[in-house]
Amino acid sequence: MPARFPGFEPRGVIPAVLLPFQADLSIDEAAYRAHVADVAAVRGVTAITTNAHASEVASCDPEEQDRVLALTLETVGDRLPVVNGVYADGTLQAARIAKRAAADGASALLVFPPQVLARGNAARPDCLADHIRHIAAATDLPLIVFQYPAVTGLTYPLETLVRLAEEVPSFRAIKDWCNDPALAERHIQVLQGLPRPVNVLSTHSAWLFPSLVTGAAGLLSGSGSVIADLQARLFDAVQAGDMAAAQAINARIRPTAQAFYAEPFFDMHNRMKEALVLLGKLPRAVVRPPLKKLEPAEIRRIESALVEAGLLERARLAAE
């Protein structure tokens, strides 16, 4: 099956959706369909991402990932482009995931860096670049390269990204999580200034407003599973140059960012599930091991953040 949105350009507001589970840890397909449809209905959303960190892709086997993509396409694939995550430590496995996603009807791919390169990638960055080249050879779908922070050891040097942009026509965007404001601005200046621009999609959700003000072409974020409307309104205000409106929207986003992205960082999507339960949009906040259910005190903090953001009218949990 060809891509349902040929010529899709990754830009604008692209939420990464969550993956609800039943109490027995199986995928809750009905809750997932409802969640995807709810996010996709937000005005200003330009695409939906699945099989990414937000959907606990590391805890899903290949057959489950295929099923999640199929559910996403069945639910919203006729209305919005679907970006499918390519999460694999082996390049051959990643290329197979990419080919299956293309055959099934995905419109773009979000390519995660192989964790096996975390120790030493800076010395041999072409190993990471070759991962992209192999995937590009397997499919002509637009590629979004996931740029990790330097501390992870999985950062593409800027010169490597520029070389890939020159060599790989399907390299269309980066999901920028470099976590360095100066480097993030440099990415925007250099990559979006190329003869064939590569869009920078911010995933700096803890400081989204400043990352957009520097000129990012969009954002791709798991917190869009909860606050897609606020993200879309912020992006529109920044694009229009209405900084007063953008600052007011950012003031509402701030408490959610502080709640979702607190330490430990790995609980971010766990917290987002709890937020959707509080908002009446998920039946339960089940996560797969090694993640664990949050403590009641933290759920109360999430509730307080939703109230401060104007997403809940009042606190609904009884004080212990």
Side-chain angles (χ1 to χ4, degrees), residues 10-27:
R11 62 180 301 114
V13 179
I14 307 177
V17 292
L18 305 174
L19 183 59
F21 298 114
Q22 303 277 7
D24 64 1
L25 303 182
S26 62
I27 295 172

Side-chain angles (χ1 to χ4, degrees), residues 2 19 21 24 31 35 64 68 74 95 102 122 124 132 146 149 181 199 215 262 273 275 282 304 307:
L19 183 59
F21 298 114
D24 64 1
H35 171 53
E64 288 177 318
V68 167
E74 290 168 11
R124 300 187 67 188
I132 302 300
F146 202 151
N199 290 334
K273 283 187 173 181
L282 276 188
S304 295
V307 171

Side-chain angles (χ1 to χ4, degrees), residues 181-252:
L183 180 57
E185 184 174 9
R186 184 69 175 152
H187 284 155
I188 292 166
Q189 178 189 8
V190 173
L191 296 177
Q192 294 183 179
L194 292 172
R196 185 183 59 77
V198 171
N199 290 334
V200 175
L201 307 174
S202 174
T203 192
H204 294 117
S205 300
W207 44 284
L208 183 59
F209 178 34
S211 73
L212 294 178
V213 168
T214 52
L219 59 137
L220 199 167
S221 168
S223 59
S225 60
V226 182
I227 59 165
D229 177 63
L230 291 176
Q231 289 183 346
R233 290 166 59 189
L234 177 65
F235 183 70
D236 286 349
V238 171
Q239 293 293 296
D242 189 346
M243 291 301 106
Q247 288 174 327
I249 297 164
N250 187 58
R252 295 183 60 192

Side-chain angles (χ1 to χ4, degrees), residues 248-277:
I249 297 164
N250 187 58
R252 295 183 60 192
I253 290 176
R254 187 180 298 113
T256 68
Q258 291 171 344
F260 295 158
Y261 299 103
E263 291 296 333
F265 193 65
F266 61 71
D267 265 331
M268 70 182 93
H269 303 116
N270 198 348
R271 296 172 182 127
M272 292 169 198
K273 283 187 173 181
E274 295 288 0
L276 288 183
V277 170

